[in-house]
Amino acid sequence: MARPQRILQIMRAPVGGLFRHVADLTRELADRGHAVGLVVDSTSGDAQTEQKLAALSDAVALGIHRFPIPRLLGPADISTPFKISRLAADLDISILHGHGAKGGFGARLARFGSRTRKAVYTPHGGALHFNPRSPSGALFMAIERGLLGVTDALVFESAYAKETFAKHVGGAKRHQVVIHNGLAAAEFEPIIPNADAADFVFVGELRMLKGIDLIIEALAPLVGPNGLPATLIMAGDGPDRGWLEQAIADRNLQQRVTLAGVKPAREMFSRGRCVLVPSRAESLPYIVLEASAAARPVIATRVGGIPEIFGPTSDRLVPADDAAALSSAMAAFLNNPDAASADASARLDFIRNRFSVGMMVDDIEALYANLGR
């Protein structure tokens, strides 16, 4: 058994796949005897945020701590790392693990000057989604490059993320590892859609980066072999919800598209026959993992680490930012759902023994232990 560690997980906000990763990691580390604390932003949040954090309370023996961690660069980016450093000293922390660009920034600056604490950084996409030739992208890459000297290990959820980081930023002096996100055993139970399920389902943030505009454009002309127009249900919320509602109205799709609000992914898998993930950029999206583990057909784009999940079926991925290609793939599903189900079975076989929470935490726990030597 690994020597017990005292760990601070640091992130800006408990949202999306990043929080899912941190929550799974925190619970499993606590179950294995490690003492874990959590640092999150104090300037944002709502009732849902508090519920998520409260659900983790039994796994964070070192508490949940709130400091200002702004989305954009600001004065708190100077003061908060000092606060995290003092907290780490008070709690006798051995590992500072920062998640996302801002979590990684705080973790690594808080490690500065300490010989006993180690800083681990998982970008989760973050700055990797910026164009390094743009002014903001160049700034973020320069900051990342400057922090490499106080980065003891880089953890990437996909080989794509590791390659992109190395290309635009560089590498840590010691450890760089790819550790895929993982799912719990119960998530590998297949889901059968309801009898009244829509043809397609989307689960995610309602923003252009996720390709919601491409979905509407691709869906509009589609008619199934039964002569009926294709239908869609979409779960989630986000900054482009207003645009989406207007686009649905402009194309007279109100009877074909249902907006379900924020719902659990597995619930939505029963309400649509094929899962759509037409993202323009990703690292290693949980939604593709979750849908594949539930044995659902998935139409996704060839971006980020998605090919690493698709494995033997990666040739089925469609180009990003291509509504015509997406529409063709959706039409192929409508006309031959059995072929899509066969692909789904092959993907399930591929990921079952490669993407588990247990394997993910085994590898991260071993990394923590190696840093202490």
Side-chain angles (χ1 to χ4, degrees), residues 8 10 39 67 78-93 96 105-114 116-117:
L8 269 185
I10 303 164
V39 172
F67 301 119
I78 302 300
S79 59
T80 291
F82 287 103
K83 295 175 183 178
I84 296 173
S85 181
R86 287 194 294 270
L87 175 67
D90 291 343
L91 296 176
D92 192 25
I93 295 298
L96 294 157
F105 184 85
R108 290 178 289 174
L109 284 186
R111 174 247 189 265
F112 191 82
S114 172
T116 56
R117 295 194 295 270

Side-chain angles (χ1 to χ4, degrees), residues 2 17 50 113 124 128 153 177 183 212 215 219-220 222 249 254 287 297 330:
E50 294 309 312
H124 295 279
L128 302 184
V177 293
L183 301 179
I212 60 172
I215 293 176
L219 177 78
L222 284 184
Q254 296 94 327
I287 190 63
M330 292 165 67

Side-chain angles (χ1 to χ4, degrees), residues 229-245:
T231 56
L232 165 72
I233 186 166
M234 304 181 76
D237 202 352
D240 294 322
R241 182 186 177 99
W243 178 94
L244 177 63
E245 292 172 338

Side-chain angles (χ1 to χ4, degrees), residues 11-16 18-20 38 40-41 44-45 48-50 52-53 56:
M11 61 182 177
R12 199 188 74 81
V15 296
L18 187 155
F19 178 67
R20 161 71 196 266
L38 187 63
V40 298
D41 177 35
S44 61
Q48 189 176 56
T49 297
E50 294 309 312
K52 288 181 177 181
L53 294 175
L56 266 182

Side-chain angles (χ1 to χ4, degrees), residues 195-238:
D196 61 348
D199 294 310
F200 301 100
V201 57
F202 169 87
V203 184
E205 191 175 10
L206 301 183
R207 56 190 296 216
M208 296 303 183
L209 184 71
K210 300 298 183 180
I212 60 172
D213 55 324
L214 303 173
I215 293 176
I216 297 303
E217 185 177 348
L219 177 78
L222 284 184
V223 176
N226 56 5
L228 297 176
T231 56
L232 165 72
I233 186 166
M234 304 181 76
D237 202 352

Side-chain angles (χ1 to χ4, degrees), residues 265-302:
R266 284 183 65 85
E267 174 187 327
M268 296 309 301
F269 296 155
S270 67
R271 299 178 64 181
R273 298 192 298 126
C274 178
V275 181
L276 301 179
V277 189
S279 300
R280 291 180 164 94
E282 292 285 358
S283 182
L284 193 83
Y286 270 103
I287 190 63
V288 177
L289 272 179
E290 291 167 329
S292 299
R296 302 311 314 135
V298 181
I299 295 173
T301 43
R302 183 177 291 279

